[in-house]
Amino acid sequence: MFGFININKPSGMTSHSVIYFLRKITGIKQIGHAGTLDPLASGVLPVAVGKASKLIDYLDEDKEYVAGLKFGFVSDTYDTEGKVERFGLNTKLNICDIESVIPEFLGIIKQIPPAYSAVHYNGKRLYEMARAGKIPDDIPVREVNIYKNEIVFFDEEKQELKLQIACSKGTYIRTIVHDIGQRLGTGAVMCELTRVKSSGFRIENSLYLSDELTKEDIKAHLINPIDILNIANYELNDYEYEIIKNGNKFKNRLKTKGNVLLVKNGNAVAISTANEEFIQPKKLLFS
C-alpha cells in the first residue's frame, strides 16, 4: 500500500492510537501521521501509508479548526482535560465584548505554548516538566500566523463561544482561547476542538474509524500523493527513470526548480531537489 488517508480522528483517542489501529488492520508497520491532534480534539488527521510516509514533510502546513470555549473558567492545560477552576467574578460577556477583541488575534501574533504541550525545553518535553511540578517561567514566545478568526456562534446565557480559526503550523488553539479569556478578564477554557482542514485534506472527505473498517476500505480510500502535494511534478522518461533507481542525478530538461515530485506513469516514485541544470533524487518511494 502507498498513499495518504484522510482520517477523521474521534475525540478521546490519541493520534498514535489511530496509527496503531491502522497498523493492526493493514498489517503495515510503515504508517505515520502529520500534525498531532490532542486526545480532546477530533477531525482531520492526515495519515501516510507505506513509503508515502517519506512525503509527510512536504505536505502543506496550514490548518483550520472550529473551537468551542467557555468563559468564566481557567485550566492548567487551557482546556477541560486539565484542572478546571472558576475564574474571578461571574461577569457576563455580550457579543460586542467578544467582537472587540477578536481582531487582536488575527495576523502574525505572539503566543506562549501551554505548559502541558509537547514543545521541547532544555531537552525535555514541557508536559513532562509540568507533570513533575517544574513549569519554567521563561517558555519561549513564538510567532504564529492567524489567517482567519471568525465567530461561528455565541450563547450569551451559557457564555459559550465557537470560533473558526485558520492558522499556520505550530499554533496552539488552546493558547488563543486562554489569551482571549485573559484579555476579556473572564478566563476561558477550550471544551472542544475539531480540525476541519489540514495539509489539503478536508473533513467532508474524511474516513471515520470503526471496528468494521477493513484493509480493503483503507485501500479504497488511499489518495495518490500527486493529488495532494502542492509541489511541482516532473514526468520521467524511461532513461531518467533508470538513472534515479540508483539515486543518481540527471539533467533537468524542464528547468523546474526547488522540490520536485518525480512521476512515472501516474505514480510518485521519488522526491528530489532541482536547479536549472540537474535534478537530484532525495528520497526514493519504491524498493
Side-chain angles (χ1 to χ4, degrees):
M1 275 195 218
F2 174 82
F4 290 103
I5 313 172
N6 179 9
I7 294 293
N8 191 330
K9 187 191 88 66
S11 179
M13 191 177 193
T14 68
S15 297
H16 180 73
S17 295
V18 172
I19 301 306
Y20 177 81
F21 183 88
L22 294 172
R23 285 173 178 166
K24 188 175 181 181
I25 291 174
T26 63
I28 297 172
K29 289 185 177 181
Q30 194 175 17
I31 300 180
H33 66 79
T36 301
L37 282 174
D38 290 338
L40 173 68
S42 62
V44 175
L45 183 70
V47 171
V49 180
K51 292 189 181 295
S53 58
K54 294 183 177 183
L55 298 173
I56 287 175
D57 290 341
Y58 300 92
L59 290 168
D60 285 345
E61 297 179 340
D62 294 344
K63 299 167 174 52
E64 188 165 336
Y65 301 85
V66 173
L69 60 106
K70 188 170 182 63
F71 293 107
F73 297 88
V74 290
S75 163
D76 54 355
T77 59
Y78 299 171
D79 61 22
T80 52
E81 296 285 276
K83 183 181 178 182
V84 179
E85 298 177 334
R86 186 168 289 280
F87 181 79
L89 300 174
N90 190 22
T91 304
K92 286 272 188 176
L93 298 171
N94 58 47
I95 190 65
C96 294
D97 295 325
I98 297 166
E99 289 175 339
S100 70
V101 303
I102 291 299
E104 298 177 24
F105 299 88
L106 274 171
I108 296 176
I109 66 170
K110 293 181 179 180
Q111 63 172 206
I112 299 174
Y116 286 87
S117 67
V119 172
H120 281 96
Y121 180 93
N122 291 340
K124 293 185 178 180
R125 300 282 189 179
L126 281 177
Y127 68 78
E128 295 173 340
M129 301 178 70
R131 288 171 182 170
K134 299 178 180 179
I135 300 174
D137 57 9
D138 60 344
I139 298 173
V141 176
R142 59 171 62 185
E143 283 191 347
V144 296
N145 200 346
I146 310 302
Y147 311 116
K148 177 171 71 175
N149 191 355
E150 297 178 355
I151 296 171
V152 177
F153 173 78
F154 177 58
D155 187 323
E156 187 170 343
E157 179 61 31
K158 294 182 178 180
Q159 291 289 286
E160 293 177 353
L161 175 70
K162 279 195 176 182
L163 294 171
Q164 186 146 9
I165 301 172
C167 56
S168 62
K169 178 184 179 181
T171 302
Y172 278 92
I173 306 299
R174 285 182 284 151
T175 298
I176 293 177
V177 168
H178 171 80
D179 290 350
I180 288 174
Q182 294 297 306
R183 175 66 180 82
L184 288 166
T186 62
V189 293
M190 190 177 75
C191 49
E192 60 178 308
L193 182 68
T194 302
R195 188 155 66 192
V196 295
K197 295 179 188 177
S198 179
S199 306
F201 300 91
R202 304 172 69 93
I203 196 166
E204 55 264 34
N205 302 319
S206 59
L207 176 65
Y208 286 85
L209 297 182
S210 73
D211 292 335
E212 289 75 36
L213 204 62
T214 67
K215 186 173 182 178
E216 293 306 312
D217 293 328
I218 302 299
K219 282 184 178 180
H221 285 84
L222 281 174
I223 299 168
N224 192 325
I226 296 171
D227 297 328
I228 202 69
L229 291 178
N230 189 26
I231 60 176
N233 292 350
Y234 185 106
E235 183 69 37
L236 298 167
N237 59 35
D238 292 340
Y239 172 74
E240 293 164 340
Y241 182 62
E242 291 302 317
I243 289 176
I244 71 153
K245 285 182 178 180
N246 296 317
N248 296 323
K249 66 182 180 181
F250 57 91
K251 285 190 175 181
N252 185 357
R253 57 185 164 81
L254 299 183
K255 306 303 179 186
T256 306
K257 294 181 181 179
N259 290 321
V260 179
L261 187 66
L262 303 183
V263 177
K264 181 66 173 173
N265 299 326
N267 297 309
V269 295
I271 192 77
S272 61
T273 55
N275 56 36
E276 285 192 357
E277 190 174 359
F278 292 105
I279 293 180
Q280 176 67 60
K282 290 169 61 179
K283 298 179 181 180
L284 299 181
L285 304 175
F286 52 86
S287 302

